[in-house]
Amino acid sequence: MTMTDMVAETLRPGEPAIFDGAIVIGGGAAGLAAAHALVKAGVAVQVLERENRLAEPWHRRHKNLHLNTHRDLSALPGVTYPTGTPGFPHRTAVIRHLNEFAETHRLPVAFGVAVDEIVSGGDHWIVRTSTGPRRAHHVVVATGRDRQPFIPQWKGMEGFAGRIVHSADFGSARDYDGKTVLVVGAGNSGFDALNHLAGANPGQMWLSARSGPALLPKRIGRKIAVHRFSPLLARLPVWLADAVIAATQRLALGDLTKFGLPASPSGGASRLAGDYTAIAADDGAAAAIKAGRIIVVPQLREFTSDGVILDNGQTIAPDVVIAATGYRTGLETMVGKLGVLDGKGVPLFNGSDSDPKLPGLWFTGMRPSIRGCFSNAGIQGDALARRIARQKR
């Protein structure tokens, strides 16, 4: 199916002309980096941001949130973090960085513009928005792979007397002092929550793990930031990167399967490329598992009014359940009719890749990367901009 094969909407009198450039949807790191790269490549840009300010998701995330990627590899092109910024920047530093990037490069961001749907206009794309339709030959979707927190609909959860929160709404670690806590999910978000809890004073903690993560320490010996080596890992063949990640995990953290944590079903680099599972970062949780402060238990089967039943029939009674169960892109309404999403709503192509049957439609920032989302945003933005610039010549 080509764009002209689809039901096309024609330009009607009084409607906006076709923009001779690219519309970028989303003003996060990926969208801003793509917009900057397009401007450098000589392509006119309009950035549409549904919120009324930049970095809104970072404003909403929990107060303890820090990047798991190092400061030196988490800066967008042409802007650096101020002297004194911690190696793993706090969310407030990230908010400042995104705003400084947009201001420094004078990126044209239209705030409060929500995109409802993208449809074919025949030889261009029509972006239906809350402020009316916009038309362009190129549309870059950069709304993020973590747009919508996802919590499974577990049996009995409506009647649970305790509290169920998504890891995105973790809050402050001190909010859990004295409370028993179950974290569901042993991925990046799950270990992020556990790292914070391990430094606070909760009661008993449990980790419900379906499968084990690829897990690397944030630092080795308190000085060596492991993420600094990510550009080297990214250049290795996947099988070799898998081996390096596994060896580092074993040497730095030991054999956590002895404490009930399942083994990862495949290597860290393989999972990044295969099912888009990010590598988790340890900053205290592994030690808490070894010390028995965090007990690894089987998958959650269902809730009762005062507890949780696990797959092995065991019942535990957490005061709070933290669902570290991932996110969804929420793109079904916007592009679901175009056949560009997989079963989980993730775009089938990303970055400089595209579908020749859908010329001018692009996605960026929709995959995790060993380098981290900020570094990868710059790399993908440059590659995407080069492709669009060549097509416009």
Side-chain angles (χ1 to χ4, degrees), residues 2 14 25 37 40 168 187 219 241 253 273 281 300 303 305 309 386-387:
T2 66
I25 303 171
K40 282 199 310 176
R219 296 185 185 275
L253 304 176
L300 187 160
F303 283 86
S305 61
I309 301 175
R386 287 194 296 269
R387 287 283 309 275

Side-chain angles (χ1 to χ4, degrees), residues 24-166:
V24 177
I25 303 171
L32 294 177
H36 171 56
L38 286 162
V39 170
K40 282 199 310 176
V43 179
V45 170
Q46 296 176 356
V47 181
L48 308 184
E49 169 55 52
R50 67 175 178 173
E51 305 293 349
N52 293 315
R53 59 181 175 178
L54 291 177
E56 185 61 39
W58 292 94
H59 282 278
R60 294 174 182 169
R61 294 291 174 86
H62 65 82
K63 295 178 181 179
N64 294 92
L65 184 63
H66 287 72
L67 288 179
N68 285 331
T69 55
H70 194 270
R71 172 194 60 225
D72 295 344
L73 296 170
S74 301
L76 294 176
V79 178
T80 59
Y81 286 93
T83 301
T85 300
F88 296 94
H90 186 261
R91 67 182 182 89
T92 53
V94 176
I95 291 168
R96 287 193 299 270
H97 183 75
L98 291 171
N99 279 278
E100 184 180 355
F101 180 78
E103 292 167 5
T104 298
H105 298 300
R106 299 181 179 180
L107 299 178
V109 182
F111 292 102
V113 182
V115 173
D116 300 317
E117 189 176 14
I118 301 170
V119 299
S120 170
D123 63 348
H124 63 280
W125 294 99
I126 301 168
V127 181
R128 295 174 176 165
T129 80
S130 57
T131 60
R134 301 182 184 224
R135 302 166 189 273
H137 291 296
H138 293 275
V139 175
V140 180
V141 181
T143 50
R145 63 190 185 89
D146 295 345
R147 187 180 181 193
Q148 295 180 347
F150 172 75
I151 298 180
Q153 292 302 301
W154 288 297
K155 180 180 178 182
M157 62 187 296
E158 298 84 0
F160 178 57
R163 184 171 166 235
I164 302 172
V165 299
H166 191 273

Side-chain angles (χ1 to χ4, degrees), residues 234-307:
R235 295 188 185 100
L236 297 177
V238 171
W239 67 268
L240 184 54
D242 282 342
V244 171
I245 292 168
T248 304
Q249 177 175 337
R250 186 65 175 264
L251 288 171
L253 304 176
D255 182 7
L256 294 177
T257 63
K258 293 179 179 179
F259 301 90
L261 190 68
S264 177
S266 59
S270 293
R271 294 193 72 184
L272 272 170
D275 60 10
Y276 316 133
T277 299
I279 297 169
D282 174 66
D283 194 21
I289 289 172
K290 293 176 184 178
R293 292 185 61 210
I294 300 170
I295 297 175
V296 182
V297 297
Q299 288 188 75
L300 187 160
R301 179 196 299 172
E302 63 183 283
F303 283 86
T304 64
S305 61
D306 57 357

Side-chain angles (χ1 to χ4, degrees), residues 13-30:
E15 291 187 326
I18 299 171
F19 177 55
D20 187 25
I23 292 176
V24 177
I25 303 171

Side-chain angles (χ1 to χ4, degrees), residues 326-391:
Y327 298 80
R328 296 293 185 264
T329 66
L331 288 172
E332 287 80 4
T333 300
M334 189 184 297
V335 296
K337 295 177 183 177
L338 300 177
V340 294
L341 304 178
D342 67 13
K344 291 185 177 181
V346 178
L348 298 172
F349 50 93
N350 184 60
S352 60
D353 294 333
S354 61
D355 185 336
K357 299 187 296 297
L358 303 171
L361 182 64
W362 311 86
F363 295 88
T364 186
M366 298 294 176
R367 304 279 192 278
S369 165
I370 286 178
R371 294 182 178 90
C373 65
F374 284 82
S375 181
N376 206 43
I379 293 170
Q380 287 191 342
D382 284 341
L384 185 153
R386 287 194 296 269
R387 287 283 309 275
I388 292 177
R390 283 199 300 267
Q391 291 182 19

